[in-house]
Amino acid sequence: MVIRANGRLESGVYRRPGTVKSHDKSRRSGVPPSDGKVSAGPSEAVVAVARSARPVYGELEEPIAAPEMPTGRAYTVSQCAVRDLFHTWGLDKSRFGSRDWNPLGVFCRPGCKIVLKPNWVSHRNQTGGDLDCLITHCSVISAVLEYVAIAQPEYVVVGDAPIQSCDFAVLRREGGLDCLVADFRSRGIDLRLCDFRRTVLHGEKLGAGRSESLRRDVDYVRFDLRAESLLEPLAEDASKFRVTVYDPDLLRRTHAVGRHQYLVAREVIDAEVVINLPKLKCHRKAGVTGALKNVVGINGNKEFLPHHRKGGSAQGGDCYAGNSVLKRAAEALLDRANRQDPGGAQRFLAQLADAALRAAKLFGADDNLDGAWHGNDTVWRTCLDLQRILRYGQVDGSLQELPQRKVITITDAIVAGEGEGPLAPTPVPSGFLTGATNTAAAEWVNTRLMGFDPLKIPLVREAFGDFTHRLAQFEPDAIRVLLGAADERRLNAIY
C-alpha cells in the first residue's frame, strides 16, 4: 500500500499528477552497484511507515512479546514502533518473531563502526514547552540502539553539533542521555556520546563569552566541493553569505568562487553505517527539517555553513523579501557586532541592530532577519552539499563515484513539531515513524505526511536534482511506501 498522492493510488507507486514515468533505467535502479564496502539492502525507492501505539512517548499499557530483545518484551511506545517499522520494512523477514531476528544485519556487519545522528538542536524549547517536539526523543534512540546492539558493532557513536548556545550538559541530563549511555555500557556496548562542535557560546545573545577549538583539527575531515558545490551558482556574490551569530569574514574564507569547504566530524566519515535519526519539524528557513536538514549537524563549525545571503530580494539577497532600509541598517550593525570580540561593544551593537529591527516593524516589516522565509535560496544548497558528502565522502576529503557508507534514516514523528521550528516548535501528536535508505525519498514522504507539497519546498524538490554525486538515482514518482496492515485496511476503506 502507498501513501495517497492528491487522491491517487496507483499500483503501489507514488505518481505525481501530470508526470510520465521515466524510461531512463539508470535513474530508477536505486543505489549504484556496490563495491563491497556497503550492503545494498532494500530498494532506495522504498519508504516504510509505522504508526505508534499512541502519539506520546512512554510505557506501553501492556508489554508485547519481542523475542529478539534481551528481556523478550518491548515495554515502550518507541520500542514497539521501531519494531513495527522494521517488520513493515521487511528487514530479515524470515526470522521475524524469533530470538535470532536481526533487522539491521542487512546493513551492519558484525564489527562495523556505526554513527547515530539524532537532532539535538538545543537544550531548551524557546516556547517554554518540553523537549518532545524539539529533539529526537531518547526513547527512540534507545529503541534503535537495541537493534544496533543485536548487529554486534565494534562501537557506536551518538553525536550531533547543536546550535552554539546549546548547553550540552543540560541537554544530556534533561534529554535522558546520560542514563541511556550508562545502560548500554553496562551491557558491554562501546557507546560514545559526542558533541561535534568546535565553538560554544556561553549564553544566547551576542556579547556572551565563547569557547573555541573544543575539538582538534584532526577530529574533522575538511571537504572542498569547489565548482561542484550547489552554492557555486551564487558564489559571484559570496560576500553576501551569512549564518546567524557568526563573523561573515570567516565565511568568506570557506565559500567563494570555486571554493566551498565543509568541516565534517571524522567519526561520521570513519563510519561504515550512519543511522540518521531526525525529529520531524517545520523549519523557518528550510520549510521542513527531517531527513535532509538533520545532516547539518555533522559539520563542526558554523563558519562553513551559509544559511542565507545578506539583503532583501530586491538587492539580490535572500535574507528577507523586498527592500527595507531599516532592515539593511540592522544587518550592517549585526555584521559589525559579529566581527567584534565578545563583550560590551558587541552587546551594544547587537542592541542597536535589535532597535533598528523594531523600528522596521513599526513600518510594517516582519521580524525576520535571518533568512526565515520561503524565498531563501541558500540553505537548501548547503544542506544538499552535506548530504552528498555524507553519502560519497572519503577520509581524504574527496567524493568518490560510489556511496562510501550506508545511510539509514529513521524519522521520529511520534511527536512532531510545527510553527516556529526548529527552536520554538509546538507539539503535533503525529504518532508515526518513517524508515528509508535514501534521504531524499524519506523527506519526500515526510513532507507529504505533514500535508505539504514537496515541489514547493526547495530542499525537498532539489534533492532529486540532476547534479554530480546525486542523492537519488530515481524520480519521486518511483517512490513506494510500505504501510502496516492496520493502515492498509484503513486506506482501503477510505479510497
Side-chain angles (χ1 to χ4, degrees):
M1 179 57 64
V2 297
I3 191 170
R4 184 187 182 200
N6 295 331
R8 266 180 107 176
L9 286 172
E10 184 172 340
S11 303
V13 177
Y14 172 84
R15 178 72 58 80
R16 189 166 71 243
T19 63
V20 178
K21 275 190 177 180
S22 169
H23 295 286
D24 180 358
K25 294 183 179 180
S26 67
R27 294 204 60 184
R28 302 176 60 85
S29 58
V31 179
S34 172
D35 61 356
K37 185 170 182 179
V38 293
S39 169
S43 166
E44 287 203 357
V46 166
V47 180
V49 181
R51 188 181 296 275
S52 61
R54 303 193 308 277
V56 295
Y57 304 102
E59 301 288 322
L60 293 167
E61 293 181 2
E62 294 288 339
I64 65 167
E68 72 283 357
M69 292 282 194
T71 62
R73 294 280 190 276
Y75 291 91
T76 70
V77 169
S78 296
Q79 284 178 341
C80 184
V82 169
R83 187 173 192 266
D84 286 349
L85 180 71
F86 292 160
H87 182 216
T88 298
W89 209 345
L91 303 181
D92 197 16
K93 185 175 182 179
S94 65
R95 294 193 292 182
F96 177 73
S98 75
R99 293 181 61 185
D100 296 326
W101 189 45
N102 180 13
L104 294 181
V106 66
F107 310 118
C108 312
R109 64 170 181 80
C112 72
K113 302 169 184 177
I114 299 177
V115 167
L116 269 63
K117 168 55 183 76
N119 182 328
W120 287 339
V121 63
S122 181
H123 66 282
R124 76 176 188 93
N125 188 329
Q126 292 180 359
T127 66
D130 61 28
L131 302 182
D132 285 3
C133 65
L134 181 76
I135 61 174
T136 308
H137 200 272
C138 184
S139 67
V140 174
I141 300 172
S142 176
V144 172
L145 281 171
E146 293 288 358
Y147 291 99
V148 168
I150 292 172
Q152 300 179 337
E154 177 184 343
Y155 63 77
V156 183
V157 173
V158 187
D160 190 17
I163 61 170
Q164 290 172 295
S165 60
C166 174
D167 187 325
F168 200 66
V170 174
L171 176 68
R172 290 175 62 145
R173 182 178 67 250
E174 298 298 322
L177 303 175
D178 287 330
C179 293
L180 177 145
V181 171
D183 176 32
F184 280 91
R185 284 180 178 171
S186 72
R187 291 153 54 179
I189 306 299
D190 184 356
L191 181 61
R192 310 168 189 179
L193 207 62
C194 285
D195 180 351
F196 293 149
R197 295 174 297 176
R198 294 196 74 202
T199 301
V200 170
L201 295 182
H202 306 301
E204 297 187 0
K205 295 184 178 181
L206 280 172
R210 68 176 65 192
S211 298
E212 303 271 6
S213 301
L214 295 176
R215 280 166 49 106
R216 304 167 300 166
D217 288 345
V218 297
D219 294 327
Y220 300 92
V221 178
R222 187 184 291 251
F223 290 85
D224 190 345
L225 301 191
R226 298 184 174 88
E228 290 190 3
S229 168
L230 297 177
L231 288 163
E232 181 66 8
L234 310 180
E236 291 291 343
D237 255 345
S239 62
K240 291 184 177 181
F241 286 143
R242 294 292 185 274
V243 61
T244 307
V245 195
Y246 223 86
D247 185 346
D249 295 337
L250 297 178
L251 268 176
R252 291 188 193 182
R253 299 177 190 173
T254 59
H255 291 275
V257 174
R259 181 176 68 247
H260 297 282
Q261 298 178 349
Y262 298 93
L263 194 72
V264 176
R266 184 172 291 272
E267 292 90 342
V268 174
I269 302 304
D270 283 342
E272 297 164 69
V273 177
V274 173
I275 302 179
N276 185 26
L277 292 175
K279 167 66 72 174
L280 190 59
K281 297 182 286 186
C282 294
H283 194 287
R284 296 175 74 237
K285 296 182 180 71
V288 298
T289 176
L292 294 171
K293 181 67 170 62
N294 194 50
V295 78
V296 168
I298 67 175
N299 190 91
N301 250 19
K302 290 185 75 174
E303 68 198 60
F304 293 83
L305 298 174
H307 270 52
H308 66 275
R309 285 171 291 146
K310 182 180 179 180
S313 55
Q315 292 85 43
D318 63 5
C319 184
Y320 46 86
N323 176 19
S324 168
V325 173
L326 287 168
K327 280 194 173 186
R328 292 208 310 271
E331 286 183 293
L333 287 164
L334 281 177
D335 279 352
R336 291 185 61 187
N338 283 317
R339 290 183 173 106
Q340 300 286 324
D341 291 330
Q346 187 181 63
R347 187 160 43 247
F348 176 68
L349 288 166
Q351 289 168 350
L352 288 179
D354 188 56
L357 183 58
R358 289 199 304 271
K361 290 173 66 178
L362 292 176
F363 287 92
D366 58 27
D367 62 356
N368 164 38
L369 205 61
D370 59 356
W373 71 299
H374 67 271
N376 186 321
D377 191 39
T378 303
V379 69
W380 69 264
R381 301 171 187 270
T382 297
C383 294
L384 298 188
D385 272 359
L386 284 163
Q387 285 285 344
R388 294 156 78 203
I389 289 170
L390 175 62
R391 184 175 175 90
Y392 297 102
Q394 219 175 22
V395 73
D396 63 359
S398 66
L399 299 190
Q400 297 299 300
E401 182 180 352
L402 298 176
Q404 297 300 294
R405 60 198 52 82
K406 196 69 181 180
V407 180
I408 308 159
T409 296
I410 299 169
T411 302
D412 174 12
I414 292 176
V415 177
E418 67 178 359
E420 297 298 306
L423 298 177
T426 54
V428 178
S430 302
F432 68 87
L433 302 174
T434 64
T437 56
N438 183 279
T439 50
E443 205 75 306
W444 188 278
V445 173
N446 287 340
T447 303
R448 292 292 297 144
L449 288 169
M450 294 174 82
F452 299 144
D453 181 353
L455 293 173
K456 293 183 178 180
I457 300 176
L459 175 61
V460 185
R461 180 185 69 237
E462 301 301 332
F464 291 87
D466 188 12
F467 40 73
T468 60
H469 298 99
R470 298 178 57 143
L471 298 178
Q473 304 294 331
F474 51 89
E475 300 284 2
D477 65 356
I479 297 172
R480 296 181 60 247
V481 178
L482 305 178
L483 301 177
D487 286 317
E488 284 193 18
R489 288 192 295 271
R490 185 176 70 87
L491 285 180
N492 280 327
I494 295 173
Y495 304 117

